[in-house]
Amino acid sequence: MPRYDVAVIGAGPAGVCAALAAARSGACTLLVTDRPVPGGNSSSEIRVWTRGATGGGNLFAEEMGIWGELKLRALARDPLGSVLTWDDVLLDALLSQPGLTLLLNTQLTAASVRNGQVESVTLRGLRTEREWEQQAHIYVDCTGDGYLSKLADVPYREGREGRDAFGESMALPTADRCTQGCSILLQSRRLDHPAPFVAPDYAYPLDRVRQLVDRGGRVVRADMQGSDCWWFEYGGRLDVIADDQRIGLELRAIALGIWNYIKNSGRYDSDNLQLEWLGLYPGRRGSRRLIGRDTLTQRDVTGGLSRPDAVAYGGWYMDSHPSGGVLSEKEQCRQLAVACYGIPFGCLYYPGVTNLLFAGRCASMSYAAFTSARVMNTCALMGQAAGTAAAMCAARHLAPDTLLQMALDALRRRLALDDALLSERMESGFLRADEITASSVRQPVGEADEGRWPLSEPAFVVYPACGGTARLTVESERETDVRMALDASPLPSRRAPFPQDAETLCLHIPAGHGEIELPAEGEGFVQVRLEPAPGVALVGGTPLPGVLAGSCAEAEWFHPCLTLSGKALYAPQNVQDGYLRPWNGPRVWASEGLGTAGEALYLRWKKPVQLESVLLFFDPELSMELTSSRCETWDPHHHYAARQGMPPQLARSYRLVARGPEGERTLAEVSGNDQRRRLHRFEPVACTELEVRITATYGGDAVVCAVLPNPEYDR
């Protein structure tokens, strides 16, 4: 058998991203999964739609990197969000990746460990009846349950720690063995004729279901779809691994009992409803959590992005489900909104096993931290970090702990260039231009339209601090006052708590149509949270990068009519300021419209430079969630607004042109682009001017986050 550089076990979000990251970093990579399709809980077998930092209320924070690339591709192929399309997007990416071998329906059964190293693993084809030993230089455990790490004698935690273990206020007073349960989903469709349903004998009877539903957040509707059924949850008081069959059968009994209730209780318009699909594979939330060099705790999750050793980030709520699941008398879940936070590299390996990394929900974290970091978008970023690190370890013959000490900056730079970090600034590592100009520059001046956002509930307005003034257009039926709180941060959140010392104001609103002036000093994004004010509405306007309004509670956005004065916010120089995405401001060049010939950036050098590659970062509207799949209906408690199509300002068609002593040369011409990050390599060319011309978007102005000639990659 061939000896691989990197072997990744498990093909959920973490495993898919780990394997692609390792192979793209030059490692000969093996990806093994015991399932017939990749994707883990997001696959067509389980059908949970992916969520992360933006779903938790954080703005400009949608996870990108490899996972974002796949989500954008799925959106472009199928705006309706079929989970079957998602399966094929993942398979396409894995099967077409050079240097990557995918083994489906293949089970890890054993591991040989000697002197603190995994020497080999034993694999068995579930349908081929073939068993063999497989070797690799570095292994990455993305099994979710940490099974390979358990075989390698990596210590782990189960259950929920007591409050004293890590000094966490969210922890229980005393430890227990419970965790969050598993869920099973269902999907239905409405026919044009009756569809009778007879429940099997093992299903929960109507009387028992009646006691469970419509309390504690367990909302039952006739049109429930997919993750509307997340609360069909059971098993948190059992061993979710050892008791898997018991949990799966009980979940099936619960789901069919609830469906029988919808069909036959007489409470719903359900005669023509047919049960189209019911999951057979319980989706696990948690099981083992491995003990790594570092442990992510509540203090880290609530501490922001301050960790210099972070290689991934999270931002989902601290989302704690009662261990009793659907049988619990408690509220169905407790959610504490948090700002984005960093996940350190030390959470992805155990120093006692020198050729093993791990990523996903089995990473090293306390139970309190796990309630946030367990979600799939966060697991995917951990997977990309682990796969990139594994390739670097294999190429440099290093253990992960040595990589942390010797090459952490190189790892973080690689992850930043691969669009997987949130706030990393590229101080160097690309060719800077002497001058940058553009065909046009968007002025931060709002133009009113017919849209209105009534202040009938708590609302927010976010805009960049500009060193000048911010004028917001409002309408009011009468003269009144509006109370508000203000905060400034590198990245805002519509839900995370404001600091206790946040400034509060009471603004006088005249009757009729007019402008109010808001503070715009300082750095970062200014966020205003407005209390309800009956009869007052925000006036809509043309979209401006970094400006957004909407509901504090729901994922409902609005483009307010707002004008900023002060520094140039959308100057072309922003594409080489070192930031690859919004941080302390929008950090983009934006055009003033889109002319018939398109809009262009011009990077110029006083003396000819040797150009070999160009890395581009566009704007896919990072405050809007991108999910792996969608359902026909959504219950409001998901706080989710589905995209209706591709991001309007994303570059759809563009070309790169170099000019220099040898004349003009077209380096790349792209149509039908569906990605934020595009790397173009070409034969070296002497260049004094690089033109980046965007000839079409998906409906908005041209917006570019970064243009990095000759980016320096490290293996």
Side-chain angles (χ1 to χ4, degrees), residues 75 414 548 714:
L75 178 65
R414 173 87 198 203
L548 198 62
D714 294 287

Side-chain angles (χ1 to χ4, degrees), residues 345-562:
F345 181 50
C347 293
L348 306 184
Y349 70 91
Y350 170 64
V353 183
T354 58
N355 67 336
L356 175 66
L357 293 113
F358 38 79
R361 60 179 174 85
C362 63
S364 180
M365 56 187 109
S366 70
Y367 177 80
F370 160 84
T371 63
S372 170
R374 65 181 173 82
V375 295
M376 285 188 277
N377 284 358
T378 310
C379 290
L381 293 181
M382 286 190 268
Q384 183 163 351
T388 305
M392 293 176 68
C393 287
R396 301 180 184 207
H397 305 288
L398 298 177
D401 207 41
T402 310
L403 182 72
L404 174 69
Q405 299 168 38
M406 296 179 56
L408 179 63
D409 288 344
L411 171 61
R412 282 170 52 86
R413 182 166 58 251
R414 173 87 198 203
L415 292 170
L417 290 171
D418 287 342
D419 207 16
L421 285 185
L422 193 60
S423 62
E424 184 78 352
R425 182 178 185 180
M426 302 297 299
E427 298 287 354
S428 59
F430 62 93
L431 181 62
R432 291 186 179 274
D434 296 321
E435 178 188 45
I436 307 175
T437 61
S439 57
S440 69
V441 178
R442 182 79 163 92
Q443 298 303 309
V445 177
E447 298 177 10
D449 60 24
E450 298 302 316
R452 298 293 183 271
W453 185 275
L455 297 183
S456 55
E457 60 181 24
F460 73 86
V461 179
V462 163
Y463 52 91
C466 61
T469 60
R471 300 193 308 278
L472 179 68
T473 305
V474 299
E475 276 186 357
S476 183
E477 296 175 359
R478 62 187 180 280
E479 188 175 345
T480 187
D481 292 327
V482 175
R483 293 185 59 82
M484 62 181 66
L486 292 97
D487 187 36
S489 62
L491 279 182
S493 168
R494 62 181 172 85
R495 293 181 68 89
F498 270 13
Q500 292 184 350
D501 59 352
E503 183 181 1
T504 58
L505 296 174
C506 185
L507 283 182
H508 183 72
I509 308 295
H513 185 104
E515 292 183 336
I516 57 174
E517 189 169 307
L518 299 173
E521 298 294 331
E523 293 186 349
F525 288 96
V526 178
Q527 183 175 357
V528 177
R529 289 190 182 170
L530 304 157
E531 294 185 3
V536 181
L538 306 180
V539 174
T542 49
L544 293 173
V547 176
L548 198 62
S551 168
C552 291
E554 308 296 337
E556 298 174 358
W557 310 138
F558 181 72
H559 294 292
C561 182
L562 186 138

Side-chain angles (χ1 to χ4, degrees), residues 34-38 40-48 83 87 105 277-282:
D34 59 3
R35 308 267 285 277
V37 290
N41 281 345
S42 72
S43 74
S44 60
E45 289 187 307
I46 298 179
R47 303 193 180 191
V48 179
V83 70
D87 283 351
N105 298 308
W277 176 83
L278 176 65
L280 297 175
Y281 198 103

